[in-house]
Amino acid sequence: MPPSQNDIAKHFRALHNPQDPLTLTNVYDASTASVIASLPTTRALATASFAIAACIGVGDENLTKAQNLAAVQIIISAAHRINPTLPITVDLQDGYGKDLSSLAATIKEAIALGAVGCNLEDMDNAAGTLRPLDEAVARVRTVVEAAKEAGVPDFALNARTDVLSLEGKTLDDVIVRGKAFLEAGACTVFVWGGPQGRGVSKEEVKILVRELEGRVNVKMNLREGFLGIQEIRQLGVARVSLGPELWKCAMKAVQEQAESLLS
């Protein structure tokens, strides 16, 4: 008997182990999903909304729920043709819609497509502002409850906070939010350093690992001057993701080959 979707979700949660961190090579279309799902070392897949948006010619901030979920459906179908039990978590940006019922509907739609986890930001992207803590926590609880109602109580929420990208905010603000998100049912906390590359330093990651008991997601940059995969794994985080880094590598290769041919 094949495992249920919640069995897969439970397995996915178990992969979040600070002693052996889960590495997610984020995908953005059927081709990347198929290639990475075929690798014997792949333990799970994640989508990247920035790269999905770029592939359909829109900015990440303009990617609609319908566009994102259409891409997610293609990605999950492609990956599950290779490995039907491969856990897949999806980037749902801020969850779409202001009210909690809209967020719950989004989660249930993602689960219906086969997702066993998601990213959720604490920004209100329509307003361009950080949600108040109580509102952000309520949205975490809504995700958890919606997943239970959809039959996947072990759905793994990676709660992203953008608080560190705002002027005047410190790591203490991150820790307050992170602890509140974990208490509300999040599996891990993802700290975003902002689009201008403020990032999160090695020492800051160590503090987050200590304060959040290792339940931390770190985004790795595939560029010189940033921590490598082995360095990050040794910090005690539960999860490492790439976001749109593979897409950037692919586009750089396309550009370089095209320039070489056309010159």
Side-chain angles (χ1 to χ4, degrees):
M1 183 176 178
S4 68
Q5 190 169 353
N6 194 61
D7 289 335
I8 297 171
K10 195 176 294 186
H11 170 64
F12 180 55
R13 271 185 173 267
L15 293 175
H16 293 74
N17 177 6
Q19 280 72 51
D20 181 21
L22 171 64
T23 301
L24 293 166
T25 44
N26 302 66
V27 301
Y28 47 89
D29 61 10
S31 296
T32 51
S34 297
V35 167
I36 296 177
S38 299
L39 298 176
T41 47
T42 294
R43 297 194 285 174
L45 282 186
T47 69
S49 70
F50 183 98
I52 286 173
C55 285
I56 61 175
V58 301
D60 191 32
E61 70 280 2
N62 296 318
L63 182 69
T64 67
K65 170 182 167 178
Q67 290 169 329
N68 196 0
L69 290 182
V72 163
Q73 183 175 27
I74 292 169
I75 287 166
I76 291 178
S77 295
H80 281 174
R81 278 196 293 271
I82 306 294
N83 181 354
T85 64
L86 188 68
I88 301 176
T89 181
V90 297
D91 183 352
L92 295 179
Q93 300 186 305
D94 67 351
Y96 309 103
K98 283 188 171 294
D99 60 88
L100 297 180
S101 61
S102 296
L103 173 59
T106 298
I107 299 304
K108 291 176 181 178
E109 288 174 65
I111 288 173
L113 295 176
V116 295
C118 79
N119 275 25
L120 182 73
E121 303 165 12
D122 59 358
M123 288 291 289
D124 180 342
N125 288 336
T129 57
L130 188 75
R131 297 183 189 275
L133 180 57
D134 59 346
E135 183 181 331
V137 169
R139 292 175 73 82
V140 169
R141 290 198 182 102
T142 295
V143 171
V144 173
E145 188 57 37
K148 287 179 182 177
E149 291 175 2
V152 189
D154 289 291
F155 188 81
L157 170 60
N158 188 39
R160 171 177 143 174
T161 179
D162 286 30
V163 67
L164 198 60
S165 67
L166 303 181
E167 188 175 351
K169 297 297 184 180
T170 68
L171 206 63
D172 288 338
D173 298 297
V174 173
I175 292 166
V176 168
R177 286 198 169 230
K179 287 183 176 180
F181 294 163
L182 293 173
E183 187 177 341
C187 177
T188 45
V189 174
F190 171 30
V191 182
W192 175 238
Q196 303 309 315
R198 183 259 186 239
V200 184
S201 72
K202 181 177 181 180
E203 292 308 312
E204 287 174 330
V205 172
K206 288 181 178 179
I207 293 170
L208 291 171
V209 164
R210 184 184 71 230
E211 294 295 328
L212 303 179
E213 300 178 339
R215 298 167 67 183
V216 177
N217 181 122
V218 168
K219 178 189 172 292
M220 180 180 171
N221 292 306
L222 298 178
R223 287 168 282 160
E224 289 187 13
F226 291 90
L227 296 177
I229 184 63
Q230 293 306 326
E231 292 175 289
I232 295 174
R233 286 175 61 85
Q234 290 169 7
L235 296 177
V237 301
R239 164 170 160 165
V240 184
S241 57
L242 289 180
E245 294 295 313
L246 290 182
W247 172 81
K248 290 178 181 178
C249 289
M251 292 305 100
K252 182 180 179 183
V254 169
Q255 180 179 353
E256 288 175 351
Q257 286 296 322
E259 286 177 346
S260 175
L261 291 167
L262 295 172
S263 64

